[in-house]
Amino acid sequence: MACLERASPALKRILLKLYRENKSIEIDHHLYEFGSVEYHIQSSTSDTHYTNLSVSTPLLSQGVILPNGISHYTKQMVKGICPDVVEIIEPAKEGYQITLRLDLSKIPNGKDSIKVIADISAVQAVILSSQLKEMLMNVSSQDTFQGMYKTIKLVYHPREPFFIVRQPQKILAVFPIRFKDKTDVIIATAFFQELVDVGSSEKWAKAPPCCWSPIPPPELRGETFEDLSTNGGFVSFDISSRHVRGKRLDKTVWSLLNFYAYVKYHVKSTRSFIQRRMRKRLQRLVEVLHKRSTQEEEKEEEEEGNHKVQAGRSRESVRELKSRDLGVFVDDG
């Protein structure tokens, strides 16, 4: 999903500027991004090596909030971005989930520097992805109930919960879909049906099978009425072991976390495309009508001109007849 970058473009630009200056810069900058994400970048001329980066982001939760906000596993994943450059400060700055001390002088020179800074700029994506990975790993056989695995409700945005069900041979991810505008519901429904058709084709056989239904799947039986009240149905993905093996795990987790955003992006783009097409068709129709109106006006002017010419000729003919009659009368006299 090219539209959903892991690295924050604005944070990346600031860190690149600090790195390329090769000297300490006095900076105290707050950066706000979509999704209630906030970065606080601090650098002082008195500290020639270090830059502090504090991150505040909505955390993926199961209704249980950890005392420190972020688990030990997630902190280790953040530290693993670049151990020589990234150090976690305890406790985090007040109002933020995590504070990092960055030693930009230890970033390697050349093209690798851009990659390292891009990885650091993706710290918010690392936090979210690590949380979901940890939740999936912590699901065990003890989470079964009457032969069925317990459903895990995950909340990132308050109105956009999704569900994970760990089963013996697969993981089921279910997304309830809601829209305020009925037009968006129509566009999204057509998109989901096409997604199911394309996903079942031989070309995309390796992708997780997708299913859309207007009613909740049986696995969500027992969930609250509010969570199951939708106008866009339910989209489910069957994730097998090959989708979470090796490097594919990170890609799969990131895709699940951003599925809602991807659907909204597609619906918005489709609606804009339809509106542009409608405007173009309306413009062409106006041009045709204007051209026809112009042609009718020209035809009327031509006919009016012909009438004037014919009237002039008639008057000339009358004058000629009168002249002839007058000449005849004079000759007779």
Side-chain angles (χ1 to χ4, degrees):
M1 293 180 289
C3 60
L4 303 170
E5 297 182 11
R6 293 171 184 256
S8 164
L11 179 60
K12 183 179 177 180
R13 283 196 299 270
I14 294 174
L15 294 181
L16 277 173
K17 180 180 179 181
L18 290 172
Y19 170 73
R20 289 169 176 169
E21 286 290 336
N22 289 325
K23 61 180 181 180
S24 58
I25 302 176
E26 194 72 32
I27 185 172
D28 190 345
H29 186 71
H30 290 266
L31 179 63
Y32 300 90
E33 292 188 344
F34 175 78
S36 302
V37 179
E38 179 185 353
Y39 301 99
H40 186 195
I41 306 101
Q42 292 177 297
S43 178
S44 174
T45 54
S46 61
D47 195 342
T48 58
H49 293 290
Y50 298 108
T51 298
N52 287 349
L53 171 63
S54 300
V55 183
S56 174
T57 177
L59 299 177
L60 195 66
S61 71
Q62 299 172 250
V64 179
I65 301 177
L66 297 174
N68 297 325
I70 292 181
S71 68
H72 177 73
Y73 173 80
T74 300
K75 290 179 180 179
Q76 291 301 312
M77 296 299 293
V78 172
K79 175 68 177 176
I81 293 174
C82 188
D84 295 334
V85 179
V86 178
E87 178 187 354
I88 298 177
I89 299 178
E90 299 283 4
K93 184 178 176 65
E94 185 177 358
Y96 298 87
Q97 278 82 28
I98 193 168
T99 298
L100 308 179
R101 177 179 292 166
L102 308 177
D103 188 351
L104 301 181
S105 64
K106 292 185 178 180
I107 295 178
N109 297 323
K111 294 181 179 180
D112 291 339
S113 62
I114 297 178
K115 182 181 183 303
V116 171
I117 290 176
D119 291 341
I120 296 173
S121 302
V123 60
Q124 192 254 354
V126 172
I127 292 172
L128 289 180
S129 299
S130 300
Q131 286 183 290
L132 183 53
K133 290 177 186 177
E134 185 177 16
M135 291 175 185
L136 294 179
M137 289 188 297
N138 287 339
V139 177
S140 65
S141 58
Q142 297 177 356
D143 295 314
T144 60
F145 177 73
Q146 294 182 354
M148 293 184 63
Y149 280 76
K150 180 181 177 182
T151 300
I152 306 173
K153 175 185 174 182
L154 301 179
V155 181
Y156 175 44
H157 294 296
R159 287 291 299 164
E160 297 177 350
F162 65 100
F163 300 89
I164 297 292
V165 183
R166 183 73 177 267
Q167 298 177 341
Q169 301 297 328
K170 65 180 181 179
I171 296 172
L172 181 67
V174 185
F175 295 85
I177 305 298
R178 301 176 182 87
F179 287 100
K180 294 181 180 180
D181 195 334
K182 291 183 179 180
T183 304
D184 293 344
V185 175
I186 295 172
I187 295 174
T189 301
F191 168 66
F192 296 143
Q193 291 172 343
E194 184 177 355
L195 186 64
V196 172
D197 293 339
V198 172
S200 60
S201 64
E202 185 178 353
K203 181 179 179 180
W204 300 101
K206 294 183 179 180
C210 175
C211 177
W212 175 83
S213 173
I215 61 175
E219 289 80 3
L220 297 189
R221 189 175 301 156
E223 298 298 324
T224 64
F225 178 77
E226 182 182 2
D227 291 336
L228 302 183
S229 298
T230 69
N231 56 2
F234 297 81
V235 180
S236 305
F237 293 96
D238 292 338
I239 302 170
S240 62
S241 58
R242 72 169 182 268
H243 299 128
V244 293
R245 190 180 298 128
K247 295 182 179 180
R248 292 182 180 178
L249 172 62
D250 191 56
K251 185 176 180 180
T252 299
V253 167
W254 182 247
S255 298
L256 292 176
L257 288 172
N258 287 279
F259 180 71
Y260 278 123
Y262 177 72
V263 171
K264 290 180 178 179
Y265 172 83
H266 175 82
V267 170
K268 184 178 180 179
S269 299
T270 303
R271 185 170 55 185
S272 299
F273 174 76
I274 293 173
Q275 291 172 347
R276 286 196 303 270
R277 290 290 300 272
M278 291 177 65
R279 282 195 295 267
K280 287 181 179 180
R281 292 192 64 180
L282 179 60
Q283 184 178 358
R284 286 197 295 266
L285 180 59
V286 170
E287 289 175 354
V288 170
L289 294 175
H290 178 70
K291 184 177 180 180
R292 184 174 179 180
S293 176
T294 304
Q295 290 175 346
E296 289 178 353
E297 289 178 1
E298 291 176 353
K299 187 177 180 180
E300 288 178 0
E301 291 177 358
E302 184 179 352
E303 290 177 353
E304 185 177 351
N306 293 335
H307 288 316
K308 289 181 179 180
V309 171
Q310 291 177 1
R313 290 177 179 176
S314 298
R315 285 194 293 270
E316 289 178 1
S317 299
V318 171
R319 283 197 295 269
E320 288 179 3
L321 289 173
K322 287 182 178 180
S323 297
R324 289 177 185 176
D325 291 343
L326 183 60
V328 172
F329 178 78
V330 172
D331 291 342
D332 291 341

